[in-house]
Amino acid sequence: AQSVTQPDIHITVSEGASLELRCNYSYGATPYLFWYVQSPGQGLQLLLKYFSGDTLVQGIKGFEAEFKRSQSSFNLRKPSVHWSDAAEYFCAVGPPTSGTYKYIFGTGTRLKVLA
Amino acid sequence: EPEVTQTPSHQVTQMGQEVILRCVPISNHLYFYWYRQILGQKVEFLVSFYNNEISEKSEIFDDQFSVERPDGSNFTLKIRSTKLEDSAMYFCASSGGVLAPGRETQYFGPGTRLLVL
């Protein structure tokens, strides 16, 4: 069955520290991969996406993610977290072939940043 | 930057009542979606809509649910007779519809939090 797992429900880091949010997927083929962020009262904002090519992708707000096919992972990283990064982060997969448009989401990781 | 908007931001209703959740997708987009997130659970796909008809729906999207594009800008989700378990955050999304499925980025609105009492 197709699924996305974000094993960390909550993560707390100090401002300025590095961050890694984990995402693993189970899918029949290599899907398209996305990270979204949701700040309180805001919609799901796209941080970055991977379709093909370079497995290290850069996104907005200084985030990057690395696709590792062998591990079926697409972990999100940031070298130095800012207080404004406190939010909920969602990993999602999209279908690489026609016939469906739906994204499959993980349960999200809520990030808390300590001053 | 164009964005998806949703109204209302919060809705409280009594069990058995009908609710209509409204969305204004990005203006030149062709595909529209509804997702929902029950508190503490995953964001789940409900339905996609293209060319004035449903292109795909999940098993959650039963006869109680319907979608409509009543005019050139709005996209609505109607729940005919709400149940307690319909309490969730409902997200609307839209995508351009030009590229292959999945390759199109879906842009999400801020959500409507529905509480059924």
Side-chain angles (χ1 to χ4, degrees), chain B residues 49-62:
Chain B
F49 190 84
Y50 170 73
N51 200 26
N52 279 321
E53 60 183 30
I54 291 173
S55 49
E56 184 180 8
K57 62 182 180 179
S58 72
E59 62 277 6
I60 302 168
F61 194 88
D62 61 21

Side-chain angles (χ1 to χ4, degrees), chain A residues 90-112:
Chain A
F90 294 93
C91 181
V93 300
T97 58
S98 61
T100 178
Y101 286 82
K102 67 178 180 185
Y103 284 9
I104 297 173
F105 282 84
T107 48
T109 297
R110 187 169 294 279
L111 174 66
K112 183 177 178 180

Side-chain angles (χ1 to χ4, degrees), chain B:
Chain B
E1 184 179 323
E3 57 183 22
V4 177
T5 59
Q6 290 185 243
T7 54
S9 58
H10 294 79
Q11 172 106 37
V12 180
T13 190
Q14 296 291 322
M15 191 169 57
Q17 295 297 302
E18 174 183 287
V19 296
I20 298 176
L21 310 183
R22 291 183 168 80
C23 168
V24 179
I26 294 172
S27 63
N28 61 345
H29 281 183
L30 302 177
Y31 280 88
F32 315 112
Y33 313 85
W34 285 101
Y35 290 78
R36 79 172 185 191
Q37 185 185 30
I38 295 171
L39 192 63
Q41 298 186 24
K42 298 185 179 190
V43 176
E44 303 171 290
F45 170 81
L46 292 178
V47 66
S48 63
F49 190 84
Y50 170 73
N51 200 26
N52 279 321
E53 60 183 30
I54 291 173
S55 49
E56 184 180 8
K57 62 182 180 179
S58 72
E59 62 277 6
I60 302 168
F61 194 88
D62 61 21
D63 292 343
Q64 290 237 96
F65 292 90
S66 63
V67 289
E68 191 178 31
R69 188 153 163 82
D71 53 45
S73 59
N74 289 282
F75 178 52
T76 62
L77 174 69
K78 183 192 292 186
I79 309 175
R80 218 177 316 279
S81 177
T82 50
K83 299 180 261 194
L84 297 176
E85 55 266 34
D86 294 327
S87 295
M89 177 76 90
Y90 288 80
F91 292 106
C92 175
S94 69
S95 66
V98 175
L99 302 176
R103 189 175 279 271
E104 289 276 353
T105 300
Q106 294 181 16
Y107 295 89
F108 287 79
T112 293
R113 186 168 294 285
L114 176 66
L115 178 61
V116 182
L117 302 176

Side-chain angles (χ1 to χ4, degrees), chain A residues 24-41:
Chain A
N24 293 91
Y25 65 89
S26 173
Y27 210 89
T30 300
Y32 298 139
L33 297 155
F34 305 85
W35 275 99
Y36 284 85
V37 60
Q38 186 181 29
S39 300

Side-chain angles (χ1 to χ4, degrees), chain A residues 5-64:
Chain A
T5 302
Q6 293 180 249
D8 304 304
I9 299 172
H10 293 96
I11 281 186
T12 299
V13 299
S14 297
E15 192 170 19
S18 64
L19 172 70
E20 182 169 34
L21 303 183
R22 295 180 291 166
C23 172
N24 293 91
Y25 65 89
S26 173
Y27 210 89
T30 300
Y32 298 139
L33 297 155
F34 305 85
W35 275 99
Y36 284 85
V37 60
Q38 186 181 29
S39 300
Q42 304 296 311
L44 295 168
Q45 181 184 21
L46 180 70
L47 283 176
L48 46 76
K49 59 189 176 188
Y50 173 77
F51 290 155
S52 64
D54 192 346
T55 55
L56 185 64
V57 293
Q58 302 298 318
I60 63 170
K61 305 185 180 188
F63 285 91
E64 65 178 27

